[in-house]
Amino acid sequence: MKELFDKVVQWAKDKKLIEGSTWEREYVKLAEEKDELMVALMANEVDEIRDELGDVLVVLTIIAAQQGLTLEECYAKAYNKISKRTGKTVNGIFVKDAA
């Protein structure tokens, strides 16, 4: 995963998306990719779902790099947080216990 992250970051640097863009512009791109993912999911098109998930990850990688972060460290932080949560799944949604 680190190797792919580095390749995407290098591509983004070459395209001036790390220092030449802003998180706001990338966030707009993320919203576009999220909508494309929803369409692919609704159509149940596995190849399109794979493609759109990848596009979302690319944009998230760029935003992370702009902030001096990696997806790996963000993913680890999120896991460390959710691994301690208790709760239950209700109608397909995990509802955490009140703190």
Side-chain angles (χ1 to χ4, degrees), residues 22-65:
T22 64
W23 69 263
E24 293 94 343
R25 289 183 179 135
E26 290 305 314
Y27 193 84
V28 169
K29 185 66 176 168
L30 180 61
E32 291 171 10
E33 298 298 352
K34 179 240 352 153
D35 290 344
E36 291 173 8
L37 174 59
M38 182 183 66
V39 170
L41 287 164
M42 290 173 63
N44 197 29
E45 293 285 340
V46 176
D47 285 338
E48 281 297 309
I49 293 167
R50 184 180 296 116
D51 182 55
E52 298 308 332
L53 281 169
D55 289 349
V56 167
L57 287 170
V58 166
V59 178
L60 289 173
T61 299
I62 293 167
I63 293 171

Side-chain angles (χ1 to χ4, degrees), residues 62-78:
I62 293 167
I63 293 171
Q66 287 175 329
Q67 303 303 311
L69 304 170
T70 68
L71 288 186
E72 185 177 40
E73 68 183 291
C74 296
Y75 207 45
K77 184 172 179 71

